[in-house]
Amino acid sequence: MRQIAAFIVAGSLALAHNAFSAEPLPKVAEFNRDIRPLLSDNCFTCHGPDKNRRKAKLRLDTQSGLFDEIDGKHPVVRGKTEESEIIRRITSKDPEEQMPPSTSQKTLNSQQIALLKRWVQQGAKWEGHWSYLSPQPATPPAVKNKKWPTNPIDHFILAKLESKGLKPSPEADRRTLIRRLNFDLLGFPPSADEVNAFVADKSPDAYNKVVDRLFASPHFGERMAMRWLDLVRYADTVGYHGDQPVNIWPYRDYVIKSFNSNKPFDQFTIEQLAGDLLPQATLEQKVASGYNRLNMMTGEGGAQDKEYRAKYAADRVRTTSAVWLGSTLGCAECHDHKFDPFTTKDFYSFEAFFADLNEKGFYPNANWEPFIPVPNDKQAAELKRLETKVAESQKALNEKDVSAAQLSWEKAILDNLAKEQSAWAIQKPSKLVSQGKAKLEIQPDLSILATGKNPDKDIYTITLHTDLAQVSAIRLETLTHDSFPNKGLSRANGNFVLTGVEVEAMKTNETASKAIKIVKAVADYEQGSQPIAAAIDDKSDTGWAVDGHVTPKNHYAIFSFAEPVLAGAGTTFMIRLKHESIYAQHNIGHFRLSLSAETNAPVSNAGLPENVLAAIKVPGDQRTPEHKAEIVKHYRGIAPELDQERKQLAAAKKESDELLKQIPTTLVSASIEPRPIRILPRGNWMNDSGEIVTPAIPQFLPHPEVKDRRLTRLDLANWMI
């Protein structure tokens, strides 16, 4: 403890002595090393980058500010201290002119003033920001101890030691050396056997052999990857709100593998920033592009998509500029940088490089796509085998000729259409009544359109006169209409709901009508809780519902009588269609009625998509390629002649899908049409008044020679390296 106390006291005395002892002036005053820090500490508060605090229109942090004329005077005149306004003001005895002013609480001592004078006298050589100067080769300094240096860096270290009258520490013993190596390269100590082996190895390359062994260890990549993963803010959860897990660990393994295989840094850079943009990108390169997806993401309800897109983009600029440029570009998100030569436009132009990434701001249901499967070697081989199997099965299905069977199938449908046309007779209504005062109008195709009032409860009574000798069934067609919401089936919200059907008939010369019992109802479409049978059960809280809101289509229902009505010339049918209050805002909107003498009248469109049925109705010599393709596609999906081929294809796809479920996935970059990027005033994502910018390198740095197209992330990566 006494030794520790003595050391602290001795150190404190040494610090105190150094604080009051003046260092000799350098032979050559350098701007970045000697002058810029001096001006920054004492002058930039009033004459620096902050335009809101700048005084006298004088700026001393730029080349033009230091040397250009202001009001007939030059702050600095190279080689002439007597003509340099800075020198005059810092040496003035007049309190009104002396700089820094007394109110600033800053002063320059005689050594600092002498240093400024020397710089001016020596020509006031200007240097840009040190971190953006091109490195220049330096000649190793001469040293007295010629034996100690083993490489050029040692010359610089030894020269500094010798200038202070110091000697290098002795070389560490072998136990210490191997421990240092292990901790530096692997992150944990060597085993006792490894220490003893190194101590016992007297060969001249013993140290190099240990280094090579540690480089070959898989733990070397893990040790090196830790720092890189920290820099690029790697995590396997999304960060915000619920902090849900996300698959990105294949990117981590990519980084470890890259260090272990000594991947060149230029390749390492390109693959991460733009691996997905490389021609014929490999799986490894796509995995590497996951770097662009390492930002935090949110799936929290209520999150604003636009706000979080702005957050992700800004985070990407800060990370990429810090990791690869070593620059704090992030300050320029809201204003021009105060100390580095970055502008706000530079920030958003840099952001525009990443505007092509396929991403959301708000990710509903924790679907963080895009991602890709990452199979191991065994899985990749099996996946390739199954892909071949699927392709062969698909080829067998595509190439089997069923054209003759298809023609027979089409003929049967057309025959059925002809039978249907003769079986069903569309009748023109003679009278239309709405109990709820809706307006009912007969259309040119003899359909009925309901408009106007939409009460919660209504009954439409349609009177038909027919000359058919016998009537056994009624068909009700629900029809879409352009005037309805979403071009649906009714005037309220597009849905068609029927809660009851009643039929009465009155023959010629009779004075009273008779109720007709409906015993069977079928339809081409039903909702689970509102089947067609519910429209004939005499219960007001059930009925037949047809969706006309999401994907509106024409549908039909057929109501069969208990026994046929022997009609004849002049027979009248009164058909009542009901909708009750429990289905408020649903109604019977656009429909058509027809009669048939058959209880099982043919319906040719049962099970056929509307587009296929429409194509079949077109005569063969008038069909377009689109018509033919629709018919072929549908038939090949149902043709009994292709059952075996379809089963084989389905089995192959199922096997492939089951394997894919076992293969891990990882987030990757995927390029889409770039979205517009505009400068956000003060970083405000809600302010759309800023200029729209395109990808560009910060304006003061050398630019890629590309003028005939938009720059990409691949251009950025190539420029960086």
Side-chain angles (χ1 to χ4, degrees):
M1 293 299 294
R2 289 178 182 175
Q3 289 177 328
I4 294 173
F7 174 79
I8 293 173
V9 170
S12 300
L13 290 174
L15 287 173
H17 172 75
N18 288 336
F20 292 100
S21 61
E23 290 278 347
L25 292 180
K27 293 181 179 179
V28 176
E30 296 180 5
F31 183 78
N32 279 339
R33 185 191 65 195
D34 306 313
I35 306 303
R36 189 191 293 273
L38 190 156
L39 296 177
S40 177
D41 289 346
N42 298 280
C43 309
F44 283 3
T45 301
C46 299
H47 305 298
D50 192 340
K51 62 183 178 182
N52 297 317
R53 302 181 65 179
R54 196 176 302 140
K55 297 181 180 179
K57 301 178 182 178
L58 176 62
R59 185 170 183 178
L60 301 180
D61 63 313
T62 65
Q63 185 174 10
S64 61
L66 273 170
F67 299 106
D68 290 354
E69 181 182 332
I70 302 177
D71 297 332
K73 300 176 182 178
H74 290 80
V76 172
V77 178
R78 290 183 171 89
K80 299 179 179 180
T81 55
E82 67 281 3
E83 296 181 21
S84 299
E85 185 67 9
I86 283 181
I87 303 301
R88 191 183 74 79
R89 297 294 289 270
I90 64 175
T91 57
S92 175
K93 303 300 182 184
D94 184 347
E96 296 296 323
E97 289 196 330
Q98 189 181 50
M99 289 291 156
S102 58
T103 55
S104 70
Q105 305 295 313
K106 299 178 183 295
T107 58
L108 294 176
N109 59 37
S110 58
Q111 188 175 27
Q112 291 170 320
I113 292 173
L115 187 59
L116 275 168
K117 286 183 176 180
R118 176 167 292 188
W119 176 67
V120 173
Q121 290 167 347
Q122 291 178 342
K125 183 180 178 182
W126 163 265
E127 293 175 315
H129 196 288
W130 65 268
S131 63
Y132 303 110
L133 297 180
S134 298
Q136 301 297 323
T139 302
V143 294
K144 298 175 183 176
N145 184 352
K146 307 293 184 182
K147 296 181 179 180
W148 189 81
T150 59
N151 59 63
I153 295 177
D154 286 351
H155 285 263
F156 291 92
I157 296 172
L158 183 58
K160 188 68 172 180
L161 291 174
E162 290 179 344
S163 71
K164 302 291 185 180
L166 301 174
K167 294 181 179 180
S169 299
E171 183 174 312
D173 63 85
R174 289 203 159 198
R175 292 180 184 274
T176 301
L177 277 178
I178 193 171
R179 283 178 58 82
R180 286 178 181 171
L181 275 175
N182 260 71
F183 277 115
D184 282 349
L185 299 183
L186 304 186
F188 51 84
S191 67
D193 289 344
E194 289 169 338
V195 172
N196 293 334
F198 180 58
V199 170
D201 189 350
K202 303 303 182 182
S203 62
D205 62 342
Y207 182 86
N208 289 341
K209 286 190 292 186
V210 173
V211 172
D212 289 341
R213 176 175 60 81
L214 297 181
F215 277 160
S217 167
H219 302 301
F220 167 72
E222 295 167 2
R223 171 68 166 168
M224 298 299 292
M226 286 176 62
R227 295 183 180 179
W228 184 263
L229 295 174
D230 280 347
L231 285 171
V232 297
R233 76 273 188 257
Y234 170 84
D236 52 14
T237 60
V238 298
Y240 287 119
H241 187 48
D243 199 24
Q244 297 91 340
V246 62
N247 267 21
I248 192 69
W249 58 263
Y251 169 83
R252 174 204 66 197
D253 288 2
Y254 161 82
V255 174
I256 294 172
K257 181 181 176 182
S258 295
F259 279 109
N260 279 331
S261 64
N262 200 23
K263 184 187 289 275
F265 188 72
D266 56 354
Q267 187 179 341
F268 188 59
T269 296
I270 291 171
E271 290 176 347
Q272 291 181 78
L273 289 171
D276 59 305
L277 300 182
L278 293 172
Q280 299 178 325
T282 64
L283 177 61
E284 182 180 57
Q285 289 167 339
K286 292 176 182 177
V287 168
S289 75
Y291 158 77
N292 295 310
R293 305 290 310 286
L294 291 174
N295 51 277
M296 299 201 307
M297 297 178 288
T298 187
E300 180 182 2
Q304 297 294 313
D305 186 80
K306 185 178 177 183
E307 176 184 11
Y308 280 85
R309 282 180 186 269
K311 287 178 182 288
Y312 305 161
D315 174 70
R316 203 168 281 125
V317 172
R318 286 192 292 269
T319 304
T320 305
S321 62
V323 170
W324 272 279
L325 302 184
S327 299
T328 51
L329 186 51
C331 298
E333 180 182 2
C334 301
H335 52 76
D336 290 350
H337 204 297
K338 291 188 175 182
F339 301 104
D340 285 345
F342 293 113
T343 64
T344 308
K345 185 174 183 178
D346 288 335
F347 182 92
Y348 291 98
S349 297
F350 198 90
E351 178 181 306
F353 277 108
F354 303 92
D356 70 317
L357 291 175
N358 183 8
E359 68 176 347
K360 300 182 181 74
F362 165 64
Y363 288 86
N365 304 317
N367 183 7
W368 317 108
E369 61 181 357
F371 43 80
I372 60 170
V374 187
N376 58 33
D377 292 343
K378 182 179 179 181
Q379 290 170 329
E382 179 65 6
L383 194 60
K384 187 174 182 179
R385 183 187 72 81
L386 291 175
E387 287 173 352
T388 301
K389 186 176 180 180
V390 169
E392 290 174 348
S393 299
Q394 186 70 61
K395 182 180 180 182
L397 177 62
N398 293 343
E399 292 182 351
K400 186 170 182 178
D401 184 9
V402 292
S403 55
Q406 179 186 319
L407 288 175
S408 298
W409 170 75
E410 290 181 45
K411 183 177 182 303
I413 291 176
L414 291 171
D415 290 345
N416 212 26
L417 278 172
K419 290 179 183 178
E420 178 188 6
Q421 189 171 1
S422 62
W424 291 104
I426 299 173
Q427 306 292 314
K428 182 178 181 180
S430 60
K431 187 177 181 180
L432 303 171
V433 177
S434 165
Q435 181 177 288
K437 306 301 180 184
K439 184 178 180 181
L440 304 178
E441 294 180 316
I442 300 174
Q443 304 299 298
D445 62 354
L446 301 185
S447 63
I448 299 167
L449 178 65
T451 57
K453 293 182 64 176
N454 181 33
D456 293 343
K457 180 177 182 179
D458 205 348
I459 300 175
Y460 298 164
T461 302
I462 301 96
T463 303
L464 303 175
H465 293 295
T466 182
D467 293 332
L468 293 175
Q470 176 178 300
V471 177
S472 299
I474 294 174
R475 180 176 67 178
L476 168 66
E477 296 176 85
T478 68
L479 307 171
T480 60
H481 199 271
D482 289 349
S483 66
F484 292 158
N486 198 36
K487 298 183 178 181
L489 299 166
S490 68
R491 62 191 182 281
N493 67 354
N495 289 341
F496 186 107
V497 174
L498 176 73
T499 59
V501 179
E502 293 178 356
V503 180
E504 292 183 11
M506 187 171 67
K507 297 180 182 179
T508 307
N509 300 324
E510 291 184 352
T511 57
S513 61
K514 295 180 181 179
I516 305 300
K517 186 176 182 181
I518 299 173
V519 294
K520 182 181 178 183
V522 295
D524 70 333
Y525 168 88
E526 292 184 338
Q527 290 188 15
S529 58
Q530 286 96 32
I532 184 61
I536 60 172
D537 61 5
D538 292 327
K539 297 178 182 178
S540 62
D541 60 345
T542 61
W544 181 49
V546 182
D547 174 21
H549 176 63
V550 180
T551 53
K553 293 181 180 179
N554 296 339
H555 293 286
Y556 70 85
I558 297 174
F559 304 95
S560 300
F561 302 162
E563 57 185 33
V565 175
L566 298 175
T571 301
T572 300
F573 282 87
M574 285 161 288
I575 304 167
R576 295 185 182 88
L577 306 178
K578 302 178 181 180
H579 77 88
E580 300 288 346
S581 59
I582 191 171
Y583 296 102
Q585 299 305 309
H586 295 177
N587 58 37
I588 305 167
H590 185 209
F591 60 98
R592 183 166 51 206
L593 293 166
S594 51
L595 307 176
S596 178
E598 301 180 36
T599 55
N600 294 309
V603 181
S604 62
N605 65 338
L608 277 181
E610 289 182 18
N611 62 321
V612 177
L613 183 60
I616 290 176
K617 289 179 179 179
V618 177
D621 58 351
Q622 298 178 27
R623 290 176 183 172
T624 65
E626 290 75 19
H627 287 144
K628 296 175 183 177
E630 287 173 346
I631 297 171
V632 169
K633 180 181 178 182
H634 179 78
Y635 182 71
R636 296 188 75 87
I638 63 168
E641 300 86 358
L642 296 174
D643 279 348
Q644 186 63 31
E645 286 78 7
R646 284 197 299 271
K647 287 178 182 178
Q648 289 176 350
L649 177 60
K653 286 183 175 179
K654 182 180 179 182
E655 196 175 356
S656 178
D657 290 343
E658 289 298 321
L659 176 60
L660 282 171
K661 291 178 183 177
Q662 303 171 29
I663 296 175
T665 60
T666 189
L667 298 182
V668 294
S669 298
S671 183
I672 58 174
E673 182 68 24
R675 65 182 184 278
I677 298 296
R678 62 174 71 246
I679 295 173
L680 301 180
R682 297 185 63 81
N684 181 0
W685 64 273
M686 293 187 289
N687 189 334
D688 288 334
S689 66
E691 171 192 357
I692 292 180
V693 295
T694 55
I697 301 302
Q699 38 77 36
F700 71 95
L701 294 171
H703 287 61
E705 294 297 326
V706 177
K707 297 179 181 178
D708 58 344
R709 61 175 174 81
R710 180 187 175 99
L711 294 176
T712 68
R713 287 180 280 118
L714 186 55
D715 293 313
L716 175 65
N718 283 321
W719 171 81
M720 283 179 172
I721 51 94

